[in-house]
Amino acid sequence: MIHPRTLRVDYDKTISVVCVVGSELNVNLNRSAPPSSRFFSVKCTPSVWCSISPQPQETSYLSPTPLNGNSVLLITMTHASEFENDSKLSVWYYGENKEVLGRAILHLTAVEISLDVDADRDGVVEKDNPNKGSWKWGPDGHGAVLLVNCDSERSFWKKPDTEQDYISKVSDLKDMSVMVLRTKGPAKLPEGYKLTMHMSQGDAESVRVFMSRSPEVVNNAQSKKLLYNYFVRGYPLVLSSEVLSQEVPYIGGVAEMKFYVEGLRFPDKDFDGLISINLSLLEPICAGIPETPIFTDKVMFRVAPWIMTPNTLKPVEVFICSTSDNYQFLKGMRNLVAKSGYKLKICHEYMNRGDRWMQDELEFGYIESPPHWFPVVLDSPRDGKLDDFPYNELLGPDFGYVTRVAERKDVSSLDSFGNLEVSPPVTVNGKNYPLGRIIIGVAFPTATKGRNMTKVVQDFLWAQKVQEPIALFSDWLLVGHVDEFMSFVPAPDRKHFRLLLASPDAGYKLFRGLQKDGHGQAKLFEGLKYEEPRTVDDILNDRHLQNENNYVQSCIDWNRDVLKRELGLDEEDIIDLPILFKLVAEEEEEGKGNEYRAVAYYPDMVNMIVLGKNLGIPKPFGPKVNGRCALEVEMCSLMEGLGLSCTFIDDFASYHKLLGEVHCGSNVRREPFDFKWWNLEM
């Protein structure tokens, strides 16, 4: 890349000039000529290359050449100098009769300077990539990647590494992006010249830069002063929100100096994720006058987005809570996780303080750069009694933490993360979403009042860009979470997954079939303590319940159409699960009456945990036919056709009666996608 620079010269003067290899010095010959000059000639040493624009008719600049009003001398240096002022160039000016009127002499020192990053995203910092100063998405794209350093390397008094302005352990460096300053030239720069690294105030709110100490740096007198002022455990802080510009050492000969760039915050509504860092060579004018930049190199980073993981990715760990009343649930989950071959982590009562809703408190995701990735937990603003768990128990080395803080008045049940899901990869109308699409629940678009996921969380999710969110209507539910009526399971064919939807219509169809086959007296909830059994006939004769489920089916059908459109699904990609709901009154403000919203009539089988080919499903306690629960039989029939195994877990007393199910009470950390987010076509 050519960096042009206008250079002032004066006749009858000798000046020393530093030229960066790859840059071009432009000298307006007429502007610097003595009065009455009509001709000029140029002489230079072999390492200097020059030309004239516009090209004169004469083939040599060694003899007097006519001087035009717009004659510009173009000077470049082919390689770095070994010594200061080791190259020369002189411009001779002549009068009408070719008598010498004066001459300008340049003593030239050439240096190579390159600020480099991993612009081709292969894990190696290459030299002077021409695309290092910009960002482009896609497999043929360019631009370096930067991680938010949101894990914690400290064992005691831990907090995210972004909250400390020093490097506490060398292991912290792997969470940062390497930036290399490469220089080549004489042992030192001419007097007064210096290198400065700088960035804008806006970018400095999102990034910090540390410098690596090396033996070459320590032995340099200029850098000793820098290290004395900014040294912290061998990695001085160079740039931050308090220090926007900082001199960095020039090391003689052929040298490389590493810098470590640390991301401080994720993309959000007010931050597009792009960061620029600049390196300038400054030239002195005279004492008391500021230096002027004569060369600037720029690199650009994009902060890696937070990425959610869908049910189709391989599980790593399962998280559940232990409470005084959920023994049956714990027993079922232990057996399921052990059978599936994954790790189980139990949050005990001293930490959960009676809050069993592991899904609602947090969402697992990850961040990734070409050489490194680690999981990052997103902490919900619901801030229940589990609030300390993500920070105190999960944050640590290579396990990051992020949250979004909302005003308490703005937080509703829809801010719990049972209301935050993500689809498997899909293609919609030719547009590929290889990382899937985030799904959230909100109020109906035309509602004059209603609950919504808080704006700060929605803004955060939208700003990540790589999993474009879809908004569904979930406010019709009492709890209001999308996981109450939908889930995804892996499949061997079609799109490699199925969308599962709760369906009152499928429930009534099943019960009518039982009635037709003479099982109208079979009972739901049979054998459950404190629960009144109901026969199939009772349910089918309950007109009010039928009307309530017609309303629920309409709400789900609205979402069905949205999901088909936004995920590119056909009916064959959807499986309807036989689940009934009922409406219950939610007390409103005094004098405003009650609001009616839906809850599951019996354990909501769609609210399941997916562990590879093993499904942990709420035990529905449906009507028994020939000794087997008809709802379980139907569920097994639907899932086993996809090669999936159903395990039914008793969560009735400890979760269902408290308006949640298996999925609400569990969470799964999964492996990341193989697909690299920076290869997305945007």
Side-chain angles (χ1 to χ4, degrees), residues 50-315:
C50 61
S51 64
I52 303 294
S53 176
Q55 181 72 32
Q57 293 181 353
E58 287 74 6
T59 58
S60 173
Y61 314 135
L62 297 175
S63 58
T65 301
L67 180 65
N68 296 322
N70 58 350
S71 294
V72 177
L73 175 63
L74 309 177
I75 306 169
T76 58
M77 302 287 284
T78 57
H79 57 268
S81 298
E82 292 186 18
F83 307 101
E84 184 180 344
N85 296 328
D86 63 358
S87 297
K88 307 286 191 295
L89 181 145
S90 61
V91 181
W92 296 69
Y93 293 101
Y94 307 91
E96 186 70 37
N97 298 316
K98 298 186 179 179
E99 71 278 14
V100 176
L101 300 180
R103 65 175 182 167
I105 298 177
L106 303 182
H107 290 177
L108 295 163
T109 303
V111 295
E112 292 183 13
I113 300 173
S114 176
L115 186 62
D116 294 323
V117 293
D118 179 17
D120 60 3
R121 306 191 286 238
D122 65 353
V124 177
V125 178
E126 66 276 8
K127 184 175 180 181
D128 210 18
N129 187 308
N131 297 313
K132 65 186 179 182
S134 61
W135 173 272
K136 180 183 176 183
W137 293 89
D140 298 321
H142 55 259
V145 175
L146 181 64
L147 297 179
V148 176
N149 192 15
C150 58
D151 67 341
S152 178
E153 300 296 328
R154 301 197 297 178
S155 301
F156 302 100
W157 303 100
K158 70 177 179 180
K159 59 182 178 180
D161 293 331
T162 53
E163 295 184 15
Q164 58 188 30
D165 60 358
Y166 58 90
I167 295 172
S168 58
K169 292 185 178 180
V170 175
S171 60
D172 196 25
L173 298 177
K174 68 180 181 300
D175 302 331
M176 303 182 191
S177 292
V178 177
M179 182 171 64
V180 179
L181 170 58
R182 293 183 167 105
T183 56
K184 183 179 180 182
K188 65 183 183 65
L189 293 173
E191 183 68 26
Y193 285 86
K194 62 183 181 181
L195 289 173
T196 300
M197 189 173 289
H198 53 100
M199 60 183 172
S200 70
Q201 181 70 61
D203 285 352
E205 302 297 328
S206 306
V207 72
R208 279 193 293 249
V209 179
F210 297 89
M211 184 175 70
S212 172
R213 185 178 62 146
S214 66
E216 291 84 1
V217 177
V218 172
N219 292 332
N220 181 282
Q222 184 184 39
S223 59
K224 280 183 179 179
K225 181 179 179 182
L226 177 71
L227 291 173
Y228 178 80
N229 291 329
Y230 294 94
F231 175 78
V232 177
R233 300 187 183 183
Y235 295 92
L237 179 62
V238 177
L239 297 181
S240 68
S241 58
E242 285 77 37
V243 183
L244 302 180
S245 179
Q246 184 65 250
E247 182 181 352
V248 295
Y250 167 83
I251 308 170
V254 180
E256 293 187 359
M257 183 181 296
K258 283 187 178 181
F259 294 82
Y260 293 90
V261 186
E262 176 187 40
L264 300 180
R265 62 174 183 149
F266 285 92
D268 214 323
K269 183 182 179 182
D270 60 345
F271 175 47
D272 64 5
L274 293 175
I275 295 290
S276 293
I277 299 175
N278 304 277
L279 180 80
S280 292
L281 177 62
L282 302 184
E283 180 181 59
I285 303 297
C286 65
I289 302 296
E291 303 96 343
T292 58
I294 61 173
F295 170 82
T296 296
D297 208 6
K298 182 180 88 167
V299 296
M300 180 172 283
F301 293 90
R302 176 176 281 278
V303 175
W306 180 78
I307 301 172
M308 282 184 66
T309 52
N311 286 349
T312 48
L313 289 176
K314 184 179 179 181

Side-chain angles (χ1 to χ4, degrees), residues 308-328:
M308 282 184 66
T309 52
N311 286 349
T312 48
L313 289 176
K314 184 179 179 181
V316 177
E317 295 177 298
V318 178
F319 294 80
I320 56 176
C321 289
S322 171
T323 63
S324 60
D325 62 350
N326 73 342
Y327 171 76
Q328 283 297 117

